[in-house]
Amino acid sequence: MLLSATGISFAFFYLGNQNVANITVIYTLALILTALYTSGYVYGIISALFCVIAVNYFFSYPFFKFNFTLDGYPVTFIGMLAISIFSSTTTTTLKKQQRAIAEREKALVEADKEKLRANLLRAVSHDLRTPLTSIIGSSTSFLENYHELEEEEQMELVTNIKEDSQWLLNMVENLLTVTRINDSAADKVKKSPEIVEEVVSEAIQRLRKRLPDIRIRVSMPNNFLMLSMDPTLIEQVLINLLENAFIHSGSTEPIDLIIREGEDIITFTVRDYGSGVEENRLPHIFEGQQLSSDSVDGHKGMGIGLSICKTIIQAHGGQITALNHNQGAEFTFTLPKEKEDTEND
């Protein structure tokens, strides 16, 4: 920076107006920039000495000779030194504040991660223990009382075992989904341009294999939508939200999946027409806490699935929210458009 200031000063002084005031301004700017991009006071003081000497040697009469008897020379030196010290002090303080803010934000992020991890562990322990207990109980009853049970009772026990096993499999799929997210990388998920309609269709087909009776109304723009995403992860989010709406709403009405295109985002809304979510649970619904419904199987809580949805959407740079409308619950998440998505549009 000092070399650049000297070069610019030569150009101004020897190719233009020989005004020392202009040269002083250029060197003062170099001093401020030096203080901004260095730590401590040493570089600033050295730069101040260099600037005073350079102005004296190169741009004061007699040129290319030192003359410390010039009028105002001590004032110039003291002024430049003061500018350097003040700039260094200010920038050093700002840098310390920025580091403190960054460390505090990092600590908050880590605290949120620990909280989410603890909530997930609590939810996992509950969601694993309950269906496993049910499977063990049903299988034990079947084996010990096989000859005494009616065929209908045998079928009921086997059906219970199958449903609980399927629930455990779905939960394992959810947990394995999170392993695709790399928290330590700049790009937490591997995105690729995907056709939104195909991702939605694949998610619904996968869900209908588990829930043949589910009814879904899809509403989306007629134009071609491309969006950068990890399709497997977004499919899992859609499956979790649609499955929760089907199981926990307590309603036989079709579920609405509404997709809207904005200027910078695409919005996905899953809306059911059931009992809604208790108001006191809404603020913490994505924290992995166990939120079971009394109207359906007690072990089928929403906690893990929704917390994983939040993790996936945040890894994509989007947001997810939950609210109650007049006739039920509504879950909405957004995915940002990237440069290639805009170009495809």
Side-chain angles (χ1 to χ4, degrees):
M1 283 184 282
L2 293 176
L3 289 174
S4 299
T6 302
I8 295 170
S9 297
F10 265 97
F12 268 103
F13 194 79
Y14 291 104
L15 299 178
N17 185 9
Q18 293 188 346
N19 189 343
V20 179
N22 294 334
I23 308 305
T24 305
V25 171
I26 294 171
Y27 275 111
T28 301
L29 178 60
L31 276 177
I32 295 173
L33 292 175
T34 301
L36 283 172
Y37 291 102
T38 57
S39 301
Y41 307 104
V42 176
Y43 292 106
I45 293 173
I46 293 174
S47 299
L49 291 171
F50 176 86
C51 291
V52 173
I53 292 172
V55 170
N56 184 287
Y57 186 78
F58 295 119
F59 308 107
S60 299
Y61 184 84
F63 302 116
F64 298 98
K65 290 183 180 179
F66 289 111
N67 183 3
F68 297 106
T69 62
L70 293 172
D71 291 339
Y73 184 80
V75 176
T76 303
F77 174 77
I78 293 172
M80 285 193 165
L81 188 60
I83 290 171
S84 176
I85 293 174
F86 290 149
S87 300
S88 298
T89 302
T90 303
T91 54
T92 301
T93 303
L94 288 174
K95 288 174 184 176
K96 288 180 179 179
Q97 291 176 349
Q98 289 174 348
R99 283 196 295 268
I101 292 171
E103 290 174 0
R104 185 163 60 250
E105 290 178 348
K106 183 179 179 181
L108 289 173
V109 170
E110 290 298 324
D112 287 341
K113 286 182 179 179
E114 286 300 322
K115 183 179 179 181
L116 179 60
R117 190 177 293 112
N119 288 335
L120 278 173
L121 287 174
R122 282 195 295 269
V124 166
S125 64
H126 183 283
D127 278 4
L128 286 178
R129 183 170 59 247
T130 306
L132 282 174
T133 302
S134 177
I135 290 171
I136 293 171
S138 297
S139 59
T140 301
S141 297
F142 183 86
L143 292 173
E144 291 181 353
N145 305 302
Y146 176 77
H147 297 291
E148 302 173 7
L149 295 173
E150 299 290 337
E151 183 177 351
E152 184 179 344
E153 294 174 325
Q154 292 177 1
M155 288 298 297
E156 182 180 356
L157 289 173
V158 173
T159 300
N160 290 339
I161 292 172
K162 179 184 177 182
E163 289 178 352
D164 288 325
S165 301
Q166 185 65 52
W167 180 257
L168 285 175
L169 178 61
N170 297 342
M171 188 192 309
V172 171
E173 287 179 356
N174 265 316
L175 295 174
L176 289 176
T177 297
V178 182
T179 63
R180 295 170 61 90
I181 300 174
N182 186 0
D183 288 332
S184 61
D187 298 325
K188 295 185 177 182
V189 291
K190 295 181 179 179
K191 297 181 182 180
S192 60
E194 302 290 339
I195 302 173
V196 174
E197 185 178 2
E198 291 184 357
V199 174
V200 170
S201 176
E202 181 65 25
I204 292 174
Q205 289 179 18
R206 285 176 56 192
L207 183 59
R208 279 182 173 153
K209 290 179 182 179
R210 300 207 300 254
L211 304 172
D213 297 331
I214 191 170
R215 291 189 296 160
I216 303 170
R217 290 186 300 224
V218 179
S219 173
M220 62 185 301
N222 293 325
N223 57 308
F224 184 75
L225 292 182
M226 287 283 290
L227 190 62
S228 292
M229 66 175 88
D230 184 316
T232 303
L233 293 180
I234 299 304
E235 285 173 18
Q236 192 65 48
V237 171
L238 291 170
I239 289 172
N240 286 352
L241 295 180
L242 291 168
E243 184 176 26
N244 280 340
F246 178 75
I247 293 174
H248 297 279
S249 66
S251 172
T252 57
E253 292 292 321
I255 301 162
D256 282 329
L257 173 56
I258 305 165
I259 301 168
R260 301 186 185 92
E261 182 182 15
E263 184 177 351
D264 300 317
I265 60 173
I266 292 181
T267 304
F268 298 76
T269 299
V270 175
R271 181 183 297 158
D272 65 56
Y273 299 91
S275 55
V277 180
E278 294 180 16
E279 291 295 332
N280 62 330
R281 289 179 172 178
L282 279 175
H284 312 289
I285 198 167
F286 296 106
E287 295 180 3
Q289 297 177 357
Q290 178 64 27
L291 303 173
S292 60
S293 173
D294 296 333
S295 62
V296 290
D297 295 341
H299 68 272
K300 295 181 178 179
M302 294 189 291
I304 290 180
L306 291 180
S307 63
I308 288 174
C309 288
K310 180 180 179 180
T311 301
I312 292 171
I313 297 304
Q314 287 184 338
H316 279 78
Q319 295 180 335
I320 185 168
T321 57
L323 55 85
N324 287 321
H325 60 91
N326 293 334
Q327 297 175 303
E330 181 176 297
F331 290 82
T332 300
F333 68 89
T334 62
L335 294 177
K337 289 183 177 180
E338 297 184 0
K339 185 177 180 182
E340 57 267 27
D341 301 326
T342 307
E343 291 174 352
N344 289 328
D345 290 344

